[in-house]
Amino acid sequence: MRLRVATYNIRKCVGLDWRRKPERVIGVIDDLGADVVALQEADKRFGKRLAALSHAHLTDTAWTPAPLALHDGGIGWHGNAILVREGVEIEATHRIELPTLEPRGAVAADLVVNGQRLRVVGAHLGLTGGMRVRQAHRIVAALGELEPRPTVIMGDMNNWQQATGCIAVFAERYHLVPPQPTFHATRPVAALDRLAVSEDVEVLEQGVLREGAARRASDHLPLWADLKVKGSILAAVAAVATGAA
C-alpha cells in the first residue's frame, strides 16, 4: 500500500512577493497529494512565536496538525510542524531537543497511515556544519531510544553537500533518498531539503513540486516521496479482513 510524505520549508508563509499568504501555502500543500507533510518555519521567530500557519487557517481543510505545540498559538515546535490528512491516526508525538546556539529542535509523530505504522520525523538543522553534525547525531540517538518503528526523516538540512556532514551521519543508520534541488524556488540548484528512511521502508518514487503557486509561495520547493512499509502487519490484517468480507 502506497503512502506519500512531503517536506516543505514554508518561510513563515511569506512568498517571493514578500506577502504573507497562509492560504497560498495551504494550496501548495494540497497540490502535493500527500498523506503527511513536515513543515519548517511554520511559526514566527519573534515575540510569542505564534504560528504563521495557524489552527484557524487549517479549519475546514483536510489537514490536522500533530499536537506538538507548547502553547495555544502554535501548531509545532521550534518552527517544525507535522500535518496529517484526514484518516491518518496520530498515536504519539515526540519533541527532540537539539544542541545549538539558537532555538532548534526536531519533532516526530507515530502514525498509522493506510494501515501502516510509520514514524515521521521533521527537522530544520542549523546554519553551521559542525552544529548540524551534532544535531544529526542527537536525532539518531533520540530515535534509538524509542520503540523501533518504520521511520522517515525529512526536513531542511541546510547542507549544500550531497553526502557529507550531517547527511553522512544519517546515512550511517538510514537510507538517503537521492537528492533533488529544492532551493532557490526561482532557480533550484541546492538540495537543502532531504529525506531518509529506515531499512523497512521502500521508496517507490520521489519528486519536487515545481508547478503553480509552489514557485512563489516560499523560497523552497516542496519535496515529496511515495513510500511502502515492508511487511506491514496492519496492512496484512486489513487485506485479510477485506478478503473475508
Side-chain angles (χ1 to χ4, degrees), residues 12 20 41-50 52 77-80 100 102-105 124:
K12 308 174 195 66
R20 194 185 304 276
E41 297 195 28
D43 63 13
K44 300 175 184 178
R45 300 292 288 176
F46 301 99
K48 296 182 179 180
R49 300 186 59 171
L50 301 180
W77 188 62
H78 288 309
N80 298 289
T100 185
E102 57 177 322
R104 293 276 179 179
H124 188 184

Side-chain angles (χ1 to χ4, degrees), residues 7 45 70 88 99 107-108 136:
T7 179
R45 300 292 288 176
L70 295 177
V88 175
V107 296

Side-chain angles (χ1 to χ4, degrees), residues 19-76:
R19 301 179 66 182
R20 194 185 304 276
K21 290 186 175 183
E23 296 81 5
R24 176 169 58 186
V25 169
I26 293 172
V28 174
I29 294 171
D30 287 339
D31 289 343
L32 286 164
D35 299 289
V36 186
V37 182
L39 300 178
Q40 301 85 49
E41 297 195 28
D43 63 13
K44 300 175 184 178
R45 300 292 288 176
F46 301 99
K48 296 182 179 180
R49 300 186 59 171
L50 301 180
L53 185 66
S54 68
H55 286 276
H57 296 125
L58 295 169
T59 301
D60 298 326
T61 72
W63 300 100
T64 298
L68 291 159
L70 295 177
H71 56 82
D72 293 338
I75 65 168

Side-chain angles (χ1 to χ4, degrees), residues 6-7 21 25 32 53 66 74-75 82 88 93 95 114 116 125 159 163 165 170 173 189 211 223 233:
T7 179
K21 290 186 175 183
V25 169
L32 286 164
L53 185 66
I75 65 168
I82 296 175
V88 175
T93 58
R95 304 181 191 94
N114 298 336
Q116 302 175 89
L125 301 190
N159 194 80
F170 289 124
R173 297 285 296 274
V189 295
E211 296 78 29
L223 175 70
I233 296 176

Side-chain angles (χ1 to χ4, degrees), residues 8-21 24-25 28 182-188 210 212-222:
Y8 189 20
N9 184 326
I10 63 174
R11 199 194 187 199
K12 308 174 195 66
C13 294
V14 177
L16 300 185
D17 55 3
W18 292 102
R19 301 179 66 182
R20 194 185 304 276
K21 290 186 175 183
R24 176 169 58 186
V25 169
V28 174
T182 55
F183 183 87
H184 188 277
T186 54
R187 188 178 179 182
R210 297 183 172 89
R215 299 181 63 182
R216 58 184 182 280
S218 171
D219 55 352
H220 286 246
L221 296 172

Side-chain angles (χ1 to χ4, degrees), residues 76-97:
W77 188 62
H78 288 309
N80 298 289
I82 296 175
L83 302 183
V84 301
R85 188 178 287 278
E86 289 176 341
V88 175
E89 179 185 354
I90 303 171
E91 293 188 323
T93 58
H94 314 276
R95 304 181 191 94
I96 304 172
E97 290 276 4

Side-chain angles (χ1 to χ4, degrees), residues 1 6 25 74 93 102 134 146 150 153 163 173 177 195 224:
M1 298 180 69
V25 169
T93 58
E102 57 177 322
R134 292 178 60 194
L146 300 176
I153 301 171
R173 297 285 296 274
V177 177
L195 213 145
W224 59 266

